[in-house]
Amino acid sequence: MINTKMQDALNAQLNREFYSAYLYLSMAAYFESVNLKGFANWMEVQRQEELVHSLRFYHYIIDRGGKALLGAIDGPPTQWTSPLRVFQAAYAHEQKVTAHINDLVSLAIKENDHATHNFLQWFVSEQVEEEASADGVVKKLTLMADAPGGLFMLDQELAQRVFTPPPAAGGAGPQA
Ligand code: FEO
């Protein structure tokens, strides 16, 4: 059974993952509003991934005999000044998420909670990808700053991203 301190910390992260989904949906809406459908698609896929992250926490808390608590989700920003600003914000957001995951790992170690430590390892790996993925688009947008047609080409590229549902997640496993 999970202890209260760990349960509260995991519930806070459950909420943050829902916020991430909300944030990326808001970014998708921004891109739809400026008719960059490929960028919007990238954000929509990201939104789906964040919901998977949320549900991993949700089911894990329950599997450990805890109670999943759903709190209010803050409203995300709704306006940015350029595609680059959006992806810089996404990258900064993922860095914050990584810091929270690291704090959770530290707490699991402090609480001698090996199961939660193991569960969190999937997220440790996932955050490497999450940061690299957002930063990769930041770098492309920065490089193409003065290239006519670059935005159109990147929009085409980002339109190719598809959501791949992971296998059902019970505890954790980097294979998912
Ligand atoms: Fe759930 Fe983007 O990390």
Side-chain angles (χ1 to χ4, degrees):
M1 175 132 185
I2 202 162
N3 75 25
T4 306
K5 196 184 276 187
M6 200 75 245
Q7 174 185 288
D8 290 349
L10 292 173
N11 270 316
Q13 187 61 31
L14 162 63
N15 181 280
R16 287 188 207 105
E17 299 289 350
F18 274 117
Y19 174 79
S20 294
Y22 214 28
L23 173 65
Y24 289 124
L25 188 60
S26 186
M27 289 174 168
Y30 163 78
F31 283 123
E32 294 283 0
S33 77
V34 294
N35 206 31
L36 286 170
K37 300 280 185 189
F39 281 83
N41 172 67
W42 194 98
M43 288 296 174
E44 166 61 17
V45 170
Q46 191 63 30
R47 190 272 302 167
Q48 293 177 78
E49 289 200 356
E50 298 301 345
L51 286 180
V52 169
H53 297 172
S54 308
L55 291 173
R56 275 180 176 267
F57 281 99
Y58 174 85
H59 289 296
Y60 177 74
I61 292 165
I62 292 168
D63 285 351
R64 292 290 311 283
K67 182 164 185 186
L69 300 168
L70 304 184
I73 302 167
D74 290 339
T78 55
Q79 189 60 37
W80 292 267
T81 53
S82 69
L84 177 59
R85 292 286 182 224
V86 181
F87 271 90
Q88 285 172 331
Y91 180 41
H93 178 71
E94 287 304 332
Q95 289 175 305
K96 273 197 262 178
V97 173
T98 299
H100 284 300
I101 296 293
N102 289 342
D103 287 347
L104 285 169
V105 171
S106 298
L107 181 63
I109 291 168
K110 186 164 168 275
E111 297 296 314
N112 205 24
D113 186 340
H114 295 278
T116 299
H117 183 269
N118 185 52
F119 165 75
L120 290 169
Q121 294 313 299
W122 185 89
F123 285 93
V124 171
S125 302
E126 177 72 359
Q127 281 312 119
V128 175
E129 277 181 38
E130 292 282 85
E131 286 194 30
S133 172
D135 187 40
V137 182
V138 168
K139 288 192 169 92
K140 285 181 182 174
L141 283 166
T142 305
L143 275 174
M144 70 170 52
D146 299 318
L151 202 58
F152 174 75
M153 286 181 65
L154 186 55
D155 194 56
Q156 303 273 74
E157 181 187 323
L158 299 187
Q160 304 307 312
R161 188 182 187 194
V162 292
F163 174 65
T164 309
Q175 75 283 359

